[in-house]
């Protein structure tokens, strides 16, 4: 694993924040001083080291199962990292259109003998997220004055980031641009020396040998028939019932912890999936169960959306491109680096959440692997981060998450969308079900983009997996991506309580 430059995390963060400020419209952004949001970007790096933001997302909300639609025209998960990844898919489709039609793509080589494109040499992708991903990666002890962070028996001794005098003039310029968007208090805070907590890298062969002590309890979710639907509903109802029973005890435990000097942990709102190990909800360090799958909280109703930590773990095995794009791309698209903005952060928890849990996965098809992204933290804070907004606000009791989510991708046409409750902002009952109500990152729109690319290619120029006339539905085309399907099966053998959406939500055309 190549050593990252000392200023790399700050460079990624600065470019991301600058893009958010300059390229995104005001529509959909939080109300100043009253609302906050999460932000994530994906940047492409060229062989010469140049970095460009190619996908961006903001948002912190999800919809419950009752609001999911069979037509695939609503966003289920509007957390920033998920939206940024879906925006990346749209960017990759555009780059494939360029490559398949004889032009010079910034990402892909020309199609090979198998009619698939490969990544150009030196091209890589990096994720920036303004906050630690929800779920397992955000569970770790709260630090004190000590320079050590103790994570359930593991001691992290992070290195110190060089002082700002050692940062290049180019980075100083980028940092000034990013800091100009914040108020004076935030500018002062963002210049304080921070600890760069990059987890210790290990070779892939060593990682595959790591023991995997976590026992993934619960019923396997392998089929998605009516029986699966019923069991899924029952599991969620039982989990919600258990949560209600323990809520009072948990609150009492929290109050007790506040009155004592017992060490405590940073907590996540994501709930353990039904059928697996559950949170003990005890005082202090024993409040959460680490290493388990979690679903994102909804507004009252439980969601089927897995936490961002879980999804990042999945992308580190299956790639970010998903099943449909894997027809056209000869290798998975992995994230080389994950940069987290200034916020509570633990290098060990990140490593545990997005890498270590996958160590026992075996039997992956060629090209698929357990990928090891480099995880670092930047000293720059996103201007609409919750803590930044709290510092600016005079009415702390009224600070709330922004209701809208913004998505942007580098492709011609309508490259920016704003969604509320999973639909394009401004959608009405009259436009529901029409393209006017859909954002470009929803399943339906991405499937339409996939079909446009497919139809534009003569049959003999299509990958072999796409030449069958029997393929018609979204689910058909995903299942036809044989290698990706095999890799997914290997992944689910380890994460056997992963909540798989019922087939009926993938049967649209």
């Amino acid at each position: 694993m190549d050593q990252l430059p000392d200023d790399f995390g700050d460079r990624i963060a600065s470019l991301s924040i600058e893009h958010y400020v300059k390229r995104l419209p005001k529509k959909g952004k939080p109300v100043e001083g009253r609302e906050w949001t999460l932000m994530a970007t994906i940047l492409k790096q060229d062989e010469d080291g140049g970095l460009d933001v190619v996908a961006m997302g903001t948002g912190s909300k999800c919809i419950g199962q009752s609001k999911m639609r069979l037509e695939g025209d609503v966003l289920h998960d509007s957390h920033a990292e998920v939206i940024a990844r879906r925006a990346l898919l749209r960017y990759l489709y555009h780059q494939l259109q360029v490559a398949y039609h004889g032009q010079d793509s910034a990402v892909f080589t020309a199609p090979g003998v198998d009619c698939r494109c490969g990544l150009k040499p030196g091209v890589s992708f990096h994720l920036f997220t303004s906050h630690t991903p929800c779920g397992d990666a955000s569970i770790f002890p709260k630090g004190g004055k000590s320079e050590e962070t103790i994570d359930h028996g593991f001691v992290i001794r992070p290195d110190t980031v060089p002082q700002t005098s050692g940062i290049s003039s180019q980075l100083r310029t980028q940092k000034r641009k990013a800091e100009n968007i914040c108020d004076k208090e935030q500018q002062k805070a963002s210049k304080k020396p921070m600890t760069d907590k990059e987890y210790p890298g290990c070779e892939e062969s060593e990682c595959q040998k790591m023991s995997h002590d976590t026992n993934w309890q619960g019923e396997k979710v392998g089929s998605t028939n009516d029986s699966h639907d019923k069991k899924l509903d029952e599991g969620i109802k039982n989990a919600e019932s258990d949560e209600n029973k323990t809520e009072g005890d948990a609150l009492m435990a929290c109050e007790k912890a506040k009155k004592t000097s017992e060490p405590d942990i940073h907590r996540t709102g994501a709930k353990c999936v039904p059928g697996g190990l559950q949170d003990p909800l005890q005082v202090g360090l024993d409040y959460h169960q680490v290493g388990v799958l979690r679903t994102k909280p909804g507004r009252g109703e439980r969601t089927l959306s897995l936490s961002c930590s879980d999804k990042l773990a999945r992308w580190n095995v299956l790639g970010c491109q998903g099943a449909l794009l894997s027809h056209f791309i000869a290798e998975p698209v992995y994230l080389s680096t994950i940069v987290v903005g200034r916020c509570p952060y633990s290098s060990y928890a990140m490593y545990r959440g997005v890498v270590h849990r996958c160590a026992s996965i075996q039997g992956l098809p060629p090209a698929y692997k357990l990928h090891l992204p480099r995880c670092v933290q930047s000293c720059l804070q996103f201007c609409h981060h919750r803590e930044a907004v709290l510092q600016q606000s005079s009415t702390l009791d009224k600070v709330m998450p922004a209701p809208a989510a913004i998505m942007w991708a580098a492709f011609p046409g309508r490259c920016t969308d704003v969604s509320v409750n999973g639909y394009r902002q401004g959608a009405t009952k009259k436009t529901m079900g029409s393209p006017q109500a859909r954002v470009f990152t929803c399943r339906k729109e991405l499937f339409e983009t996939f079909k446009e690319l497919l139809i534009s290619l003569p049959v003999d120029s299509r990958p072999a997996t796409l030449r069958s006339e029997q393929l018609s539905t979204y689910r058909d085309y995903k299942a036809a991506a044989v290698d990706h399907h095999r890799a997914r099966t290997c992944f689910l053998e380890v994460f056997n309580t992963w909540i798989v959406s019922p087939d009926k939500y993938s049967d649209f055309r």
Side-chain angles (χ1 to χ4, degrees), residues 65-94:
Q65 184 180 9
S66 66
K67 292 182 172 60
M68 294 170 61
R69 281 170 55 89
L70 303 179
E71 295 82 359
D73 57 359
V74 61
L75 278 178
H76 302 164
D77 187 341
S78 292
H79 276 223
E81 298 95 322
V82 175
I83 287 184
R85 179 257 175 179
R86 297 186 72 81
L88 173 68
L89 303 185
R90 186 61 185 83
Y91 169 75
L92 295 179
Y93 276 119
H94 169 62

Side-chain angles (χ1 to χ4, degrees), residues 33-34 389-399:
R34 294 184 57 187
V389 175
L390 285 172
Q391 290 176 14
Q392 300 169 15
S393 177
S394 58
T395 56
L396 300 183
D397 58 326
K398 294 185 178 180
V399 172

Side-chain angles (χ1 to χ4, degrees), residues 366-407:
Y368 289 87
K369 62 182 180 180
L370 171 53
H371 176 67
L372 300 181
R374 299 161 296 190
C375 295
V376 298
Q377 185 174 33
S378 167
C379 69
L380 295 179
Q381 187 179 59
F382 175 49
C383 58
H384 286 143
H385 188 280
R386 185 173 183 272
E387 296 305 317
V389 175
L390 285 172
Q391 290 176 14
Q392 300 169 15
S393 177
S394 58
T395 56
L396 300 183
D397 58 326
K398 294 185 178 180
V399 172
M400 56 178 46
I406 310 174
M407 55 219 70

Side-chain angles (χ1 to χ4, degrees), residues 73-215:
D73 57 359
V74 61
L75 278 178
H76 302 164
D77 187 341
S78 292
H79 276 223
E81 298 95 322
V82 175
I83 287 184
R85 179 257 175 179
R86 297 186 72 81
L88 173 68
L89 303 185
R90 186 61 185 83
Y91 169 75
L92 295 179
Y93 276 119
H94 169 62
Q95 291 297 322
L96 284 169
Q97 280 278 11
V98 171
Y100 271 104
H101 292 87
Q103 302 174 47
D104 184 26
S105 166
V107 176
F108 298 112
T109 60
V113 293
D114 60 353
C115 299
R116 297 199 295 172
C117 298
L119 290 176
K120 280 189 169 181
V123 168
S124 58
F125 293 93
H126 311 279
L127 172 71
F128 169 78
T129 176
S130 62
H131 195 82
T132 306
C134 66
D136 199 56
S138 63
I139 303 172
F140 52 90
K142 293 183 177 180
K145 295 181 180 180
S146 171
E147 293 181 1
E148 299 180 356
T149 301
I150 303 176
D151 290 336
H152 298 277
F154 291 83
V155 179
I156 308 298
R157 297 177 180 270
D159 297 326
T160 302
V161 168
Q163 300 299 313
T164 54
S165 59
I167 299 177
S168 66
S169 59
Q170 180 184 7
L171 176 61
R172 285 199 298 269
T173 300
Q174 291 171 339
K175 288 181 74 173
R176 282 196 296 270
K177 289 179 180 178
E179 289 164 354
N180 283 340
I181 65 175
C182 305
D183 61 13
K184 293 181 180 179
E185 288 295 319
Q186 188 175 349
Q187 289 184 31
K188 183 187 297 184
S190 66
K191 293 177 183 177
K192 292 179 181 178
M194 287 285 292
T195 301
D196 187 352
K197 302 173 181 177
E198 179 175 3
Y199 66 72
C202 66
E203 298 296 325
E204 290 173 13
S205 59
E206 295 176 358
C207 190
Q208 297 289 357
K209 297 175 184 177
M210 292 167 57
S211 63
H212 186 69
D213 298 328
T214 306
N215 180 20

Side-chain angles (χ1 to χ4, degrees), residues 93 321-329 443 446-447 450 466 473-474 476-479 481 484:
Y93 276 119
Q321 78 293 330
L324 295 184
L325 275 169
S326 66
H327 285 289
F328 299 106
I329 305 174
R443 283 181 166 190
L446 289 174
F447 189 40
F450 166 84
L466 292 175
T473 67
Y474 178 77
D476 290 341
Y477 281 103
K478 288 184 68 173
H484 185 275

Side-chain angles (χ1 to χ4, degrees), residues 65 68-72 221-229 232 304 443 473-476 478-479 485 488 500-508:
Q65 184 180 9
M68 294 170 61
R69 281 170 55 89
L70 303 179
E71 295 82 359
V221 185
S223 62
T224 52
N225 52 23
D226 292 339
S227 175
H228 164 66
D229 293 1
L232 183 60
L304 298 187
R443 283 181 166 190
T473 67
Y474 178 77
R475 180 159 60 101
D476 290 341
K478 288 184 68 173
H485 187 75
R488 176 178 174 272
V500 180
S501 296
D503 284 349
K504 62 184 180 181
Y505 294 111
S506 299
D507 281 338
F508 58 88

Side-chain angles (χ1 to χ4, degrees), residues 457-477:
L457 302 175
V459 174
D460 58 358
S461 296
R462 299 176 185 176
T465 53
L466 292 175
R467 296 181 185 180
S468 171
E469 296 181 357
Q470 305 302 316
L471 304 175
S472 61
T473 67
Y474 178 77
R475 180 159 60 101
D476 290 341
Y477 281 103

Side-chain angles (χ1 to χ4, degrees), residues 266-279:
H266 290 282
R267 296 173 184 175
T268 179
K271 307 297 183 182
C272 298
V273 298
L277 297 175
Q278 301 297 306
D279 287 325

